[in-house]
């Protein structure tokens, strides 16, 4: 997997994406991440890449031609048009399924980081294949989204992580949030690791983790469970889901009773 990033701040983006797990993966040849300075492709002596928007208004808009020249140079060097993504609040919301799709369907991606009030629409129409948003909020530039997408996609490339289980049991992979995790010591600040995790019974541990995933998702992200059909589970799966519902109801009842008692006192 190779990812090219068009940005006004290549050093900050490159430094972040060449550390830790991704840095080691790049050294081993599993991925390659290259940043390209958009200002290097403007004909303006001042390296200006933005101008006032037509129609008036505050701020500035990144001009189409410097973006195009940078994009064209990368594609010409590759010998083909590269799937191009522009980060925009107007794009489709980025999800784990998006990362899985990109990792499965493309060996190379080109990410465009906008700034100011955005980029000239004509560049989007001619060169961009899809627009992606990180959520319903606005950032000062596309660098943070680019790093997030690159990280999310590259970690799915075979060899980057030791084993597929490293990401297949994580939040959002199968539509659930991940179960709680614990490490040493067994007791910390009066809080204990659940006994089942110390039992050595791998089947019971797996069942506990699935049950906790259901409970956490139901509690924190009920929207994720909107399309969930427990009838599609096998007999064992339905039993685990039923146990999750029962425990969650008990916890909510206990929390409500405790709150009522506190108010009375």
């Amino acid at each position: 997997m190779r990812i090219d990033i068009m940005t006004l701040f290549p050093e900050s983006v490159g430094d972040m994406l060449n550390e830790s797990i991704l840095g080691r993966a790049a050294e081993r040849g599993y991925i390659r991440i290259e940043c390209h300075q958009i200002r290097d492709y403007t004909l303006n002596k001042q390296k200006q890449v933005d101008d006032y928007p037509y129609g008036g208004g505050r701020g500035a808009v990144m001009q189409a031609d410097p973006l195009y020249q940078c994009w064209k140079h990368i594609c010409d060097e590759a010998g083909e048009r590269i799937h191009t993504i522009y980060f925009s609040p107007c794009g489709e919301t980025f999800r784990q399924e998006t990362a899985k799709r990109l990792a499965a369907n493309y060996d190379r991606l080109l990410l465009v980081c906008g700034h100011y009030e955005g980029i000239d629409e004509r560049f989007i129409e001619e060169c961009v294949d899809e627009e992606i948003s990180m959520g319903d909020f606005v950032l000062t530039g596309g660098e943070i989204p680019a790093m997030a997408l690159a990280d999310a996609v590259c970690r799915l490339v075979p060899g980057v992580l030791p084993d597929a289980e490293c990401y297949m049991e994580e939040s959002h992979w199968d539509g659930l949030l991940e179960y709680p995790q614990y490490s040493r010591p067994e007791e910390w600040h009066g809080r204990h690791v659940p006994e089942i995790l110390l039992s050595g019974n791998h089947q019971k541990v797996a069942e506990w983790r699935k049950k906790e995933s259901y409970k956490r998702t139901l509690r924190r992200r009920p929207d994720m469970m909107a399309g969930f059909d427990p009838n599609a589970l096998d007999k064992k799966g339905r039993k685990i889901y039923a146990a999750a519902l029962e425990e969650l109801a008990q916890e909510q009842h206990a929390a409500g009773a405790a709150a009522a008692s506190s108010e009375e006192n």
Side-chain angles (χ1 to χ4, degrees), residues 160-176:
V160 173
L161 297 180
D163 193 280
E165 290 185 5
C166 293
Y167 53 77
M168 290 180 68
E169 293 189 2
E170 293 180 328
S171 293
H172 303 291
W173 181 263
D174 59 356
L176 297 173

Side-chain angles (χ1 to χ4, degrees), residues 26 42 57 98 161 163 179 197 226:
T42 179
T98 314
L161 297 180
D163 193 280
Y179 49 80
L197 299 181

Side-chain angles (χ1 to χ4, degrees), residues 27-116:
E27 290 176 358
R28 296 168 184 164
Y30 293 117
I31 62 172
R32 180 178 174 184
I33 300 174
E34 296 287 342
C35 294
H36 305 265
Q37 173 57 266
I38 298 169
R39 293 187 189 280
D40 291 342
Y41 296 87
T42 179
L43 300 179
N44 189 291
K45 293 182 180 180
Q46 289 74 38
K47 298 295 183 180
Q48 181 181 345
V49 297
D50 61 285
D51 210 330
Y52 295 111
Y54 279 122
R58 299 180 63 84
V61 174
M62 292 184 70
Q63 297 167 299
D65 199 60
L67 290 164
Y68 174 76
Q69 296 301 333
C70 182
W71 177 86
K72 184 175 183 299
H73 172 81
I74 298 168
C75 291
D76 286 349
E77 194 177 59
E80 61 180 351
R81 181 187 174 106
I82 304 170
H83 188 77
T84 303
I85 297 170
Y86 169 55
F87 297 103
S88 162
C90 302
E92 292 288 332
T93 302
F94 184 74
R95 302 182 186 280
Q96 184 65 28
E97 288 302 315
T98 314
K100 291 161 68 173
R101 171 176 61 82
L102 295 174
N105 294 321
Y106 301 100
D107 294 324
R108 187 164 181 175
L109 296 171
L110 202 168
L111 312 182
V112 181
C113 302
H115 266 273
Y116 317 122

Side-chain angles (χ1 to χ4, degrees), residues 206-241:
E207 292 175 359
W208 179 89
R209 285 174 168 171
K210 177 60 72 173
K211 180 185 64 178
E212 292 300 315
S213 286
Y214 285 135
K215 288 168 58 179
R216 176 171 281 186
T217 309
L218 286 163
R219 186 188 303 114
R220 301 185 183 183
R221 291 291 304 276
D223 58 301
M224 291 175 60
M225 302 295 290
F228 180 74
D229 181 12
N231 294 320
L233 300 172
D234 58 20
K235 183 177 180 180
K236 181 179 178 181
R238 291 195 297 271
K239 183 178 179 180
I240 295 173
Y241 182 69

